[in-house]
Amino acid sequence: MRTYKPFDVFNKTFISILALLCTLPLLLVLIVSITDERSIQSRGYSFFPDQWSFDAYRMLFSGSSPLLQSYIVSITVTVVGTLLAVMITSMAGYTLAARHVRYRNGLAMFFFVTMVFNTGLVPWYMISTKLGLQNNIWALIIPSLVFNPFNLFLARNYMKQIPESLIEAAKMDGANDAFIAFRIFFPLSLPVLATITLFYGIGYWNNWFNAIMLVDTPNLYPLQYLLFKLNSEISMIQQMQSTTASLSTSLLPTESIKMATAIVTIGPIVLFYPFLQRYFIKGLLIGSVKE
Amino acid sequence: MNLSLMKRTFQEIRKNHIAYLLALPAVIYTFIFGYLTLPYILISFQKFNYKLGIWKSPFIGLDNFEFFFMSDRAWQVTFNTIRLNFLFIVVGTAAALLLAILFNELKGRRFSRIMQSTILFPHFLSWVIVSYVLYSFFASNYGLLNQTLDWLGLPQENWYSEPRYWVSILVSVNVWKEVGISLVIYLAAIAGIDNSLYEAATIDGANRRQQIRYITLPLLMPTVTILSLLALGKIMYGSFDMIYAIIKDNGLLYPTVDVIDTYVFRSLRTIGNPAQAMAVGLYQSIVGFILVFGVNLIVRKVSPDNSLF
């Protein structure tokens, strides 16, 4: 194989270029976020701006900017939602995996049907509003997010591999199903629980659909939705400025502040990325094997 | 249901009541957000009125469907949805296959892992973030592309008002964001190929290219087929997140990139006609269901292990 040296060099270079293409666009967003507004106005977005400035971040992190409020909303929704979702999913996963439960396959069918036939947006919206899931934090947590049959089957398939004899032995010692699930099955299923935690966590952090459908009070905007709104509504930025006096220039950093918000929104994902990708890849590989 | 069956059911639930209780939250959730949505299908045949609700609103037959199918929008959004998804599948698969083969030829494992992580990264970003990335390139005033065109002395283009560019842009950005996932799956499939095949081929004098052509590619085909078929089953569902984050309510771009999901969204929220929105949604669900069902039949023939049901 030594004879393929030139190809190896080409291959490594080519792949590096592709990987660069995956990161450069994000780098541009980062650079624009720390570019001085006048520099943007004269030369547009650029990898090599004339002048740097952290005004955008200064404005974002000033006391009354909506960013902090949205950050709190996003973190609350992600933490509470993910915890609830993982609980609901793993408990049901145990029931479907336990062989002594006679109707487990009937139950699995019950969940599966909704995966294949989806009635879509309108009934979902109407039921959510009917349940009072509108303009409150639960609207961002419960509808369509807190339980996902795909994750349920992921958990079940993993738990199925745990030997039934463990359940029998525990029952002999007088343990009930709740005890077996929480004390025996869940600790043995940590890899798959980590994976579904990650799927739900990412789902919550990146979700803005619930906000666009069910929320219209700005203090309930999650980060992603704030970001979505920011690009179309300059008024939101102007409002930010009126409450921020400490800027070094009088020029409003309209462009850089959008990009700075985007960067701040990516932040946690970058932070957790080593963990994310490890369990994500595991989950992908578990998920692609059925039964 | 006869008496003894009821008794047996009752006994089973009593015996394992804690196990069933554990599943209860998921059951309630699925009942409400899954099964209770079914009656709402009725409103697609009604002149729906919020005050009267689904049981009392007057029925008007197929008028809501007629409104949609008689307009030229029906054909347009259906065509756009299918065209975009089809291109996502074809271009995405080709790109991932090529990448997987190149990655498999890499010598250093560390390098390979780092590059995989980098290419997977955009998958974790929301479409809103991606819309900002696109905006920084295509914005008409400050965008990188127009600045570059200007610098080269070429005329600038108003990207956000030219529908003809957006199919290619969306296909490219979809590959950019999602290619890492298929790459990981294909690499796992390649790793599963029996090494003795390659050894035998080497002894018979096959070079690397021949090994790729006659061993790697053919053995990857089942995985490729399954993933493509499963994606094909979902071809009627456009990605609302993607289209609405990037296009928003920019009507200029509707001719090429408005999809069924964004159309339904607007009927419900902007126009405020839930009955029409439901009619279009029902059309999508039914065609979508037939496709999933049909595709599943095929998958079951090709590879029973990978079928959905």
Side-chain angles (χ1 to χ4, degrees), chain A residues 1 4 7-8 11-12 14-16 18-19 21-23 25-26 28-29 40-41 43-47 88 91-92 94-95 100-103 107 109-114 116-119 121-128 130-131 133 142-147 171 176-178 181-182 202 206 208-209 212-214 224 227-228 230-232 255 258-259 262 265-266 269-270 273 276-277 280-281 284-285 288 290, chain B residues 5 8-9 12-13 15-16 18-20 22-23 25-27 29-38 40-41 43 48 50 98-99 102-103 105-108 111 115-129 131-133 135-137 139 141-144 147 176 181 184-185 188 207-208 237 240-241 244-245 248 264-265 268-269 274 277-278 281-282 285-286 289 292 304-309:
Chain A
M1 274 180 213
Y4 285 87
F7 171 76
D8 287 341
N11 195 15
K12 262 196 170 169
F14 185 70
I15 287 177
S16 306
L18 287 180
L21 282 181
C22 282
T23 41
L26 295 167
L28 179 64
V29 173
I40 296 175
Q41 285 186 353
R43 290 201 22 227
Y45 301 153
S46 158
F47 281 104
I88 294 176
M91 291 193 313
Y94 169 78
T95 309
H100 64 278
V101 177
R102 189 191 288 159
Y103 299 126
L107 265 182
M109 202 30 121
F110 174 82
F111 291 120
F112 183 70
V113 168
T114 57
V116 188
F117 190 78
N118 188 332
T119 47
L121 182 67
V122 180
W124 174 84
Y125 174 73
M126 288 190 165
I127 286 181
S128 301
K130 203 161 218 173
L131 291 174
L133 296 168
I142 294 176
S144 82
L145 288 169
V146 84
F147 172 69
K171 288 230 148 150
N176 65 29
D177 281 304
F182 280 90
I202 289 280
N206 281 344
W208 52 285
F209 184 72
I212 200 174
M213 293 301 295
L214 299 168
Q224 305 284 350
L227 194 58
F228 174 80
L230 217 52
N231 211 5
S232 42
E255 296 301 317
K258 292 178 193 167
M259 300 301 170
T265 309
I266 303 175
I269 293 181
V270 176
Y273 193 57
L276 282 185
Q277 58 122 359
F280 183 81
I281 291 176
L284 267 187
L285 302 182
S288 51
K290 199 190 125 191
Chain B
L5 185 66
R8 244 181 36 213
T9 311
E12 156 70 12
I13 290 179
K15 193 179 107 210
N16 289 320
I18 296 184
Y20 288 107
L22 287 176
V27 168
Y29 184 86
T30 307
F31 180 72
I32 294 176
F33 283 98
Y35 292 87
L36 279 189
T37 61
L38 293 173
Y40 286 89
I41 291 176
I43 72 173
F48 183 71
Y50 277 101
L98 178 72
L99 269 183
L102 291 178
F103 263 89
E105 298 299 314
L106 283 178
K107 299 288 191 295
F111 178 78
M115 290 298 131
Q116 275 182 59
S117 305
T118 315
I119 291 177
L120 190 61
F121 183 71
H123 168 75
F124 294 95
L125 305 176
S126 70
W127 280 111
V128 179
I129 301 275
S131 80
Y132 274 78
V133 170
Y135 182 78
S136 65
F137 276 87
N141 46 357
Y142 303 135
L144 190 69
Q147 295 291 330
W176 178 78
I181 295 189
V184 169
I185 294 177
N207 62 28
R208 285 308 284 174
Y237 291 92
F240 175 85
D241 269 20
Y244 201 66
K248 302 195 178 67
V264 170
F265 171 79
L268 179 66
R269 293 310 303 274
M278 187 63 236
L282 185 62
S285 298
I286 289 172
F289 179 71
V292 171
D305 284 347
N306 290 294
S307 65
L308 280 169
F309 46 87

Side-chain angles (χ1 to χ4, degrees), chain B residues 233-247:
Chain B
K234 286 182 272 188
I235 205 164
M236 278 293 279
Y237 291 92
S239 161
F240 175 85
D241 269 20
M242 174 197 208
I243 306 291
Y244 201 66
I246 296 171
I247 310 298

